[in-house]
Amino acid sequence: MRGVTLRRYPDESFPKNIDFFDLKEFPIPTNLKENDLLIKVCYVSIDPVMRVWFSGAKTYIDTVHQGQVIPAFGCGVVAESKSKRFNKGDLVLGALDCADYCVRSANAIFKLPAVQSKNDPNLPLFLSVYGVTGITALKGLHQIPKENLPTKESKKTLVVSSAAGSTGSFALQIGKYWGYRTVGIVSSRDKKDFVLSLGADACVCYNDTLDSNGIVDTDKLTKLMKQAAPEGIDAMYDNSGEEVLDAVLPAMNKGAFIVLCGATATYYTWKNRGGLKNLSHFITKQIKAEGILYFGQKNAIMESFKEMNELVTGNHIQHKEEFINGLENVTLGLQKVFLGKNLGRVIVKLDNEIPLPKF
């Protein structure tokens, strides 16, 4: 079997320089312990948080060490089971590896509903609209208090940062379906066009405000936000943090609510960061914020699948996936995401027996 390993922790030349990984041969694991699963990996997704994993930081998964096969959210087929809850052939989801096979404890793995075969084209959608990103968007929006939700009598504005990404694009579309006036924040003009095609009422490109160090000019972005949301902002689904979040605060209404989902602004460039200069707006405007994390919450994912499926089949949500073929091309997927060249979810197909899905 093959696996993509972390040769060394990436430096500031990443992602233009992608030479921090190796494709190596390994024996297929055979000595499974009680409750272990040997999983044939079918698909893995490329997530912004992987940049944090590659730094050696401990997050909600164990620290990734140099020389280790790199982890990724993935789905696959149980090839061998030492668990009473899983059988050979079960389709599963979890934090797997960028490898042909991996071993995981059954306690850390989800058994997938509604798909019966690895050839089912809906299987990779459990790394997208039906998976952690889609469910995080849905569950995160459900955290918004009633007083910040739109009604027929009271129109509300929702801002979504990193709105062209997988989670952001779903959050924006769900917000639009709920009746919000929606405003996206993205990095580039092509992403702006994509977000507007999803139904956003307005979209702001923060690259238009970059200073000489490539950092967002908060004051300039605030001006653009006030133009895009002239009635003020009542709720924000934030995937960016730092300067993007900071720029939104002066444009928020009293009692606004922020869902804190990600901090992509610090995933790639962590030097010369200024923090939140507009923090006082939390006090003067009585803004509330709540961090969310649904990875590992099996009940939350399974409970939300039905609601998400209804949104998709009712054509209330568009989902966009970019498929890359082959384990050897995982690094191309990494580069695509970390250079901001993706629209929607980037998924790498590892199993050569599966035809490349088309949507």
Side-chain angles (χ1 to χ4, degrees), residues 4-203:
V4 178
T5 63
L6 180 64
R7 184 191 309 158
R8 59 190 176 96
Y9 294 129
D11 56 29
E12 290 184 346
S13 67
F14 180 87
K16 290 184 178 179
N17 172 22
I18 203 71
D19 192 26
F20 299 94
F21 307 92
D22 293 306
L23 182 64
K24 292 186 175 181
E25 292 281 346
F26 298 91
I28 297 175
T30 55
N31 296 321
L32 272 63
K33 298 178 293 186
E34 185 177 354
N35 209 41
D36 276 353
L37 303 174
L38 176 66
I39 300 169
K40 169 67 173 173
V41 185
C42 298
Y43 298 93
V44 294
S45 60
I46 306 297
D47 292 85
V49 73
M50 293 171 80
R51 180 64 186 90
V52 182
W53 298 348
F54 298 159
S55 72
K58 182 174 176 56
T59 59
Y60 46 84
I61 67 168
D62 292 336
T63 300
V64 179
H65 298 285
Q66 296 179 88
Q68 179 182 334
V69 176
I70 61 175
F73 294 122
C75 54
V77 182
V78 174
E80 184 179 348
S81 174
K82 295 293 184 180
S83 168
K84 295 179 180 179
R85 294 184 292 112
F86 290 85
N87 297 313
K88 183 177 180 179
D90 283 347
L91 296 167
V92 295
L93 171 74
L96 305 183
D97 281 341
C98 292
D100 295 314
Y101 291 87
C102 69
V103 174
R104 290 292 184 270
S105 166
N107 296 333
I109 296 299
F110 302 76
K111 188 180 294 186
L112 290 176
V115 287
Q116 304 298 323
S117 165
K118 68 177 184 179
N119 293 317
D120 189 324
N122 287 313
L123 178 61
L125 297 187
F126 283 90
L127 296 174
S128 177
V129 65
Y130 297 136
V132 172
T133 53
I135 300 307
T136 297
L138 179 62
K139 297 289 285 187
L141 288 173
H142 276 305
Q143 298 301 113
I144 297 175
K146 184 177 179 180
E147 57 268 26
N148 297 89
L149 296 173
T151 64
K152 291 181 179 179
E153 297 76 24
S154 178
K155 301 297 181 182
K156 302 289 184 181
T157 297
L158 169 72
V159 165
V160 179
S161 60
S162 296
S166 186
T167 301
S169 63
F170 297 140
L172 186 136
Q173 292 179 83
I174 296 168
K176 184 69 176 178
Y177 176 66
W178 285 3
Y180 278 108
R181 182 179 186 276
T182 53
V183 179
I185 305 175
V186 296
S187 59
S188 61
R189 297 298 177 90
D190 59 334
K191 291 190 175 186
K192 179 177 179 178
D193 292 340
F194 171 61
V195 168
L196 291 173
S197 76
L198 297 177
D201 295 283
C203 191

Side-chain angles (χ1 to χ4, degrees), residues 5 16 23 41 62 67 82 137 140 152 168 171 182 236 243 250 253-254 260 272-274 277 287 298 308 332 337:
T5 63
K16 290 184 178 179
L23 182 64
V41 185
D62 292 336
K82 295 293 184 180
K152 291 181 179 179
T182 53
M236 180 184 188
E243 294 83 10
N253 290 328
K254 184 177 179 180
L260 300 171
N272 301 317
R273 313 311 296 199
K277 298 182 295 183
I287 298 170
K298 298 183 181 182
M308 205 63 172
L332 297 181
V337 170

